[in-house]
Amino acid sequence: MKLLTLELLKFGPFTQCVLDFSAPKDAVHLVYGPNEAGKSTTLRAVTGLFYGIDVQTKDAHLHDMKNLRLAARIEDARGALLSFERRKGSKDTLRDRSDLPIREDVLQAMLGGASKEAFCRMFALDDKTLGEGAKDLLSGKGHLGESLFGAGLGAGIHRVLDVLKKDAEKLYSPAAQTKNKP
């Protein structure tokens, strides 16, 4: 899925702000700017757009909570386009550009079924998650550490961890009366 345009219609300090990511076709876009420029707000907007605006969002300081609104145009791997809006609320918050409800599964199909957690872990990196990832990497923990460890082994890390766990259980089980000797 590719985000072609992001519109912060009424969100955070923004009103009718449009970010165009449509060209060039296969580019990687980097959003950068000075402190307090709106980078973190924009990142929350993307996540809110795809998964719903958080109930206790801190992005209602210029616009009333009930008026928060985002929009986007996305393209999936087959070239199918979806233009939609997300409003703050608890029901039917995903809308087409004529303000008619869209089923959430339509958007989720465009997102490849990625959960909010998976999306944030892979695509919504901020300084906090990068710092946590670095700590996990240095200690060999977390998804990134496991993935890099697995890549170095040339095998699936989860398979290796399962084998090691089974071997450990053969040697010692907390519930067992005696330990097996290797």
Side-chain angles (χ1 to χ4, degrees):
M1 186 280 308
K2 180 173 172 95
L3 178 63
L4 301 173
T5 59
L6 171 64
E7 298 177 48
L8 294 101
L9 302 173
K10 292 182 180 181
F11 196 81
F14 301 104
T15 304
Q16 302 297 324
C17 177
V18 178
L19 300 172
D20 185 351
F21 301 112
S22 62
K25 182 75 171 153
D26 293 322
V28 172
H29 297 276
L30 177 68
V31 176
Y32 69 96
N35 289 342
E36 303 302 317
K39 300 177 302 293
S40 295
T41 300
T42 301
L43 184 57
R44 284 190 305 276
V46 172
T47 305
L49 180 74
F50 292 153
Y51 299 99
I53 299 169
D54 286 340
V55 172
Q56 295 298 323
T57 185
K58 57 184 177 180
D59 295 302
H61 46 87
L62 180 60
H63 306 285
D64 289 338
M65 194 72 87
K66 65 181 182 208
N67 294 327
L68 296 181
R69 204 165 189 100
L70 302 161
R73 191 168 53 97
I74 62 175
E75 180 180 17
D76 71 8
R78 298 180 326 266
L81 296 171
L82 179 64
S83 185
F84 63 99
E85 294 185 10
R86 173 79 72 180
R87 64 175 176 79
K88 177 80 173 84
S90 58
K91 184 178 178 197
D92 294 330
T93 63
L94 190 62
R95 319 293 286 188
D96 69 15
R97 295 313 293 258
S98 300
D99 204 32
L100 297 173
I102 298 175
R103 291 186 342 261
E104 290 288 338
D105 63 328
V106 172
L107 176 57
Q108 288 309 305
M110 296 285 286
L111 297 174
S115 68
K116 181 178 180 179
E117 178 186 84
F119 175 82
C120 289
R121 189 174 55 242
M122 293 187 297
F123 304 112
L125 301 175
D126 60 12
D127 59 341
K128 180 182 175 191
T129 55
L130 285 172
E132 290 169 357
K135 287 178 188 173
D136 287 347
L137 180 59
L138 290 172
S139 66
K141 296 178 183 172
H143 296 287
L144 180 58
E146 290 179 4
S147 296
L148 289 174
F149 180 70
L153 290 176
I157 185 63
H158 297 291
R159 266 197 325 260
V160 173
L161 290 174
D162 285 343
V163 168
L164 290 173
K165 184 178 178 183
K166 287 177 184 169
D167 286 348
E169 287 171 352
K170 288 179 189 173
L171 296 173
Y172 175 76
S173 171
Q177 296 294 325
T178 61
K179 294 179 187 175
N180 295 328
K181 296 189 180 188

